[in-house]
Amino acid sequence: MASLRKSRNQEQQNILSLKSTLITTVTQTILAYRSFLQANQQVEISKASLKRSKANLEVNKLLVETGRMPAMDIIQAEADVANKEFSHQQILNQLDSARLNLINQLDIDKHTQIIPTETIQIYKVAPDLKTCTDLAFENQPNYLRALLNIKSLELNLVVAQNN
């Protein structure tokens, strides 16, 4: 019966290994998608900031034309617009990088355009510690594999004693 039990333990370990790989893949995909959503929201914020800086520059130009502001002070507004444009370009690059990371994770064509349809929402959750630890012990593949290793070692000990 020892060989049969060893085979069953090995099969259970293989199943847990597959489960662990699946959990890792799904988690990485979710993280890549969330990163893409976050980068997309950063682009929207950057657009609004750039638009506000350009409007401020226009106001400053009008103030200079009317003589209410020295011409030298407009340089700061122009520098602010240039910095916002540079920052916006960096954020667009981050969005493209996040998109490519997600596409790579999903293993689809790199020319696929992904348009996020949801926004990131954060919910306040107060989980029960006992329930969380019980779920973790029941479903964590590495922990379950360790338990199977203990059973396997105990079986090896019984076989050795019998020999």
Side-chain angles (χ1 to χ4, degrees):
M1 293 299 290
S3 338
L4 183 61
R5 287 185 183 160
K6 283 182 184 181
S7 296
R8 286 183 181 156
N9 279 350
Q10 185 60 45
E11 182 61 24
Q12 284 297 319
Q13 286 199 6
N14 292 341
I15 290 170
L16 290 172
S17 217
L18 178 64
K19 185 177 179 180
S20 178
T21 302
L22 183 63
I23 287 170
T24 301
T25 303
V26 169
T27 301
Q28 288 174 348
T29 304
I30 290 170
L31 291 175
Y33 181 69
R34 291 292 183 174
S35 176
F36 177 67
L37 281 176
Q38 185 178 19
N40 192 53
Q41 288 180 342
Q42 286 288 43
V43 167
E44 296 303 318
I45 292 168
S46 176
K47 280 181 187 176
S49 177
L50 180 60
K51 184 178 178 182
R52 196 170 41 253
S53 291
K54 286 182 177 181
N56 188 30
L57 177 62
E58 292 302 317
V59 169
N60 286 350
K61 284 181 180 179
L62 288 174
L63 289 174
V64 168
E65 287 176 12
T66 60
R68 302 186 88 201
M69 180 181 202
M72 294 298 290
D73 289 348
I74 203 164
I75 294 172
Q76 181 61 40
E78 289 173 344
D80 186 44
V81 168
N83 285 335
K84 298 288 182 176
E85 286 174 345
F86 179 71
S87 176
H88 182 68
Q89 190 59 42
Q90 285 180 321
I91 290 172
L92 287 175
N93 289 342
Q94 289 174 359
L95 175 65
D96 197 43
S97 176
R99 183 186 68 81
L100 289 174
N101 186 27
L102 178 60
I103 284 174
N104 187 37
Q105 185 66 34
L106 295 173
D107 195 24
I108 57 179
D109 183 34
K110 69 178 181 177
H111 300 294
T112 303
Q113 291 298 319
I114 299 174
I115 300 170
T117 57
E118 65 181 359
T119 58
I120 297 175
Q121 297 177 359
I122 300 174
Y123 300 102
K124 187 173 183 176
V125 179
D128 176 36
L129 184 62
K130 174 75 172 135
T131 305
C132 290
T133 53
D134 289 346
L135 280 173
F137 285 135
E138 289 173 15
N139 296 309
Q140 178 51 263
N142 293 333
Y143 174 74
L144 295 173
R145 269 190 286 188
L147 290 178
L148 283 174
N149 282 337
I150 291 172
K151 285 182 182 179
S152 179
L153 292 173
E154 288 172 348
L155 185 62
N156 288 340
L157 176 63
V158 170
V159 168
Q161 287 173 342
N162 283 346
N163 287 340

